[in-house]
Amino acid sequence: MTTIRESDFVESIADALQFISYYHPQDYIRALTAAYEAEESPAAKDAMAQILVNSRMCAEGQRPICQDTGMVVVFLKVGMEVRWESDKSVQAMVDEGVRRAYTHPDNPLRASMVTPPIGARKNTRDNTPAIVHMELVPGDSLEVKIAAKGGGSENKSKFAILNPSDSLVDWVLKTVPTMGAGWCPPGMLGIGVGGSAEQAMLMAKEALMEPIDIHELQQRGAEDEIEALRLELMEKVNALGIGAQGLGGLATVLDVKIHTYPTHAASLPVAMIPNCAATRHVEFTLDGSGPAKLEPPRLEDWPALEWDGAAGSRRVDLDTLTREQIAEWQPGERLLLSGKLLTGRDAAHKRITEMLARGESLPEGVDLTNRFIYYVGPVDPVGDEVVGPAGPTTSTRMDKFTEQMLAETGLIGMVGKAERGPAAVASIARHGAVYLMAVGGAAYLVAKAIKSSRLVAFEDLGMEAIREFEVEDMPVTVAVDSRGEAVHQSGPAEWRARIGKIPVEIE
């Protein structure tokens, strides 16, 4: 009989969440480095360089890899000979660990959980509750797998119940392009096949916590049907040409994991969940001897890589920018932004558009005439920081507001991550505006370009409040120009044709 003390369990959860907030798994760094070295697309290679440089900066500074520090997901395998020294539920103990981790004074993490999910959606302020899955197993130890799952990748989760005779490969190849780039590739795909609807999703999620080992599999060859399927999907998904950040390139996925379970004869449940460039997970075992001890990686594990944001970039003064100037920008062009821009994401856009619809004036300081808005919800600053990690959020969530924002506020540009939908692209072209893309998964690097930050409006929205940033040489790429040409359409199409293994009709 093993006794797991509440204090050891809570401390282990808190330490693990702090650990994964700033340390990428080393298998991911090795795989991304290999993909970077092999990449032939300049835009994708630049994006991966930013992710790798950001990763090392976070490891050195012990600050979050991404501003979206995730929803906490925990898988527990509890030995049947384990007893708990606590009067709390397992959920309550996990939540206490989450609370301590996300409110840590030296490295506060962004709280993203809201309740209730429909209606007020108020932020819980400490990122609780966690999502906990438990399984009773033989033994006298406690196995813990813990992840911080970002919303951008979680939102791209897919599920279908196929006919037993349908092709899993065909479904994946048709589905991945519909996920866009909001999940911040290159990452992993977790796939669950079989069982019931809910079990397929759980298998897909847990598969993402396995180490990246596809390169070993490629070298030795498949030994069973599932390994052969992994190899086939790895090759064919990368042949889609989506590439890093959806810009077009050779590396869209770094590994494909597949878990299976017996299922009903009439069914083939299939779930697919991606892990993003800010993949964060760790596992440990408690045996009653104390809290978990996590071994920090060595800085030598990161590639010796320098990134020059000024090379080939156009410098832009946001404070004097005009529509005539942005009309000169070309799709795929790299820019360095300096000057003032406002921030705002889902909740702020909803309030602004509701105020406009009622004919009300916008709050003082929210003048968007000839301005840019940055879709971001930053981490709180520490020490002498003016803002914590502040990378972009997925822009498609703002598509529904874009026409009204461009038509009624004087806004001329937006900064976010990933692609825009057809309606938003059409609106951008109609108003002669532009959409710029920053690299998702490089939040600490981006934050170094932010020289000041002040709260402007909607303080009650927390990380979703409107702020004014003053930036200096903030790196971005023209993703949709003023004529409506979009690199997230042209880039993958070009690279899919170059790779030449996937028919055009797959879209």
Side-chain angles (χ1 to χ4, degrees):
M1 183 71 70
T2 295
T3 299
I4 303 296
R5 292 183 292 273
E6 175 186 326
S7 58
D8 291 343
F9 184 51
V10 170
E11 181 180 340
S12 298
I13 294 290
D15 288 351
L17 289 168
Q18 278 286 310
F19 185 92
I20 63 177
S21 76
Y22 44 73
Y23 290 140
H24 262 127
Q26 288 307 293
D27 56 286
Y28 178 83
I29 293 300
R30 288 190 295 269
L32 185 61
T33 300
Y36 166 80
E37 292 171 347
E39 185 56 69
E40 298 174 13
S41 163
K45 198 174 185 76
D46 179 74
M48 285 191 279
Q50 291 190 50
I51 294 168
L52 285 165
V53 169
N54 179 78
S55 178
R56 183 185 175 104
M57 289 172 59
C58 294
E60 291 177 314
Q62 298 200 348
R63 292 293 275 141
I65 295 165
C66 181
Q67 79 289 337
D68 184 350
T69 51
M71 168 177 62
V72 177
V73 181
V74 183
F75 286 87
L76 301 175
K77 290 188 177 181
V78 184
M80 295 173 71
E81 297 177 48
V82 164
R83 65 175 297 274
W84 297 89
E85 189 179 276
S86 175
D87 58 2
K88 295 180 180 176
S89 68
V90 172
Q91 178 75 52
M93 287 188 283
V94 171
D95 286 345
E96 178 57 30
V98 172
R99 187 174 296 109
R100 291 186 191 181
Y102 279 73
T103 58
H104 196 293
D106 296 333
N107 183 42
L109 307 179
R110 196 188 81 183
S112 299
M113 297 295 282
V114 297
T115 188
I118 297 175
R121 290 178 65 87
K122 293 188 65 175
N123 197 298
T124 64
R125 301 291 183 176
D126 57 11
N127 216 49
T128 63
I131 311 300
V132 181
H133 306 288
M134 281 189 288
E135 180 183 358
L136 283 175
V137 298
D140 60 356
S141 62
L142 173 65
E143 295 179 24
V144 181
K145 294 180 180 178
I146 188 165
K149 192 70 163 62
S153 60
E154 186 71 6
N155 290 351
K156 302 303 181 180
S157 303
K158 302 295 181 181
F159 173 77
I161 295 185
L162 306 181
N163 293 321
S165 59
D166 289 343
S167 166
L168 172 65
V169 173
D170 287 351
W171 179 79
V172 170
L173 294 182
K174 289 177 181 177
T175 303
V176 169
T178 70
M179 291 160 52
W183 59 283
C184 287
M188 293 172 62
L189 291 180
I191 298 176
V193 183
S196 56
E198 76 279 8
Q199 185 162 12
M201 294 299 288
L202 283 175
M203 289 190 295
K205 180 64 67 64
E206 190 169 11
L208 291 173
M209 300 192 190
E210 294 183 357
I212 295 172
D213 62 0
I214 197 76
H215 295 91
E216 299 170 18
L217 181 54
Q218 289 169 329
Q219 290 173 1
R220 68 169 169 82
E223 296 178 352
D224 57 41
E225 186 176 356
I226 296 302
E227 289 186 347
L229 190 56
R230 287 178 61 199
L231 291 173
E232 181 180 3
L233 286 171
M234 177 78 172
E235 178 184 16
K236 290 184 175 179
V237 170
N238 281 332
L240 291 169
I242 294 167
Q245 302 291 301
L247 294 169
L250 301 178
T252 301
V253 291
L254 302 177
D255 203 342
V256 178
K257 298 292 186 180
I258 303 174
H259 284 192
T260 67
Y261 196 85
T263 192
H264 192 284
S267 304
L268 184 59
V270 180
M272 179 166 61
I273 305 178
N275 231 3
C276 64
T279 181
R280 294 163 296 211
H281 60 89
V282 72
E283 59 183 84
F284 54 86
T285 299
L286 298 181
D287 60 6
S289 62
K293 302 297 182 185
L294 302 175
E295 189 68 30
R298 304 170 306 151
L299 289 180
E300 293 78 16
D301 293 333
W302 277 264
L305 176 64
E306 292 187 8
W307 174 75
D308 183 5
S313 297
R314 181 200 298 246
R315 281 193 159 86
V316 172
D317 183 354
L318 291 168
D319 297 334
T320 61
L321 200 56
T322 65
R323 289 186 186 272
E324 290 72 27
Q325 289 174 307
I326 67 174
E328 300 173 1
W329 298 350
Q330 300 300 310
E333 184 177 2
R334 292 172 58 192
L335 309 175
L336 292 175
L337 305 181
S338 295
K340 294 182 173 64
L341 76 166
L342 294 171
T343 74
R345 35 180 285 160
D346 312 61
H349 276 72
K350 186 173 185 291
R351 282 200 188 173
I352 288 173
T353 53
E354 287 174 345
M355 293 176 74
L356 292 172
R358 293 192 296 264
E360 299 175 5
S361 298
L362 297 182
E364 184 178 353
V366 186
D367 181 359
L368 292 167
T369 306
N370 289 340
R371 300 287 299 272
F372 274 65
I373 195 165
Y374 181 28
Y375 303 149
V376 63
V379 176
D380 289 341
V382 297
D384 59 358
E385 293 178 346
V386 298
V387 68
T393 197
T394 306
S395 300
T396 48
R397 299 201 312 274
M398 268 52 73
D399 283 3
K400 63 190 290 187
F401 306 112
T402 299
E403 173 59 29
Q404 189 175 7
M405 293 288 288
L406 294 179
E408 299 183 29
T409 69
L411 184 72
I412 63 172
M414 299 149 283
V415 184
K417 76 170 185 183
E419 74 286 346
R420 305 305 299 265
V425 171
S427 182
I428 289 167
R430 183 162 48 251
H431 294 282
V434 291
Y435 165 60
L436 311 178
M437 186 209 82
V439 171
Y444 196 36
L445 176 66
V446 171
K448 295 301 183 183
I450 302 170
K451 303 306 178 183
S452 70
S453 172
R454 69 179 182 90
L455 182 70
V456 173
F458 308 150
E459 182 178 7
D460 62 299
L461 296 181
M463 62 92 174
E464 295 203 64
I466 295 180
R467 295 172 172 80
E468 184 179 70
F469 286 169
E470 183 159 5
V471 299
E472 182 179 314
D473 288 348
M474 176 179 169
V476 295
T477 298
V478 180
V480 181
D481 73 2
S482 60
R483 295 165 293 280
E485 295 185 33
V487 296
H488 287 99
Q489 296 173 6
S490 59
E494 175 190 346
W495 281 91
R496 185 173 63 248
R498 286 196 190 193
I499 297 167
K501 295 181 180 180
I502 298 293
V504 174
E505 308 87 70
I506 197 69
E507 292 188 341

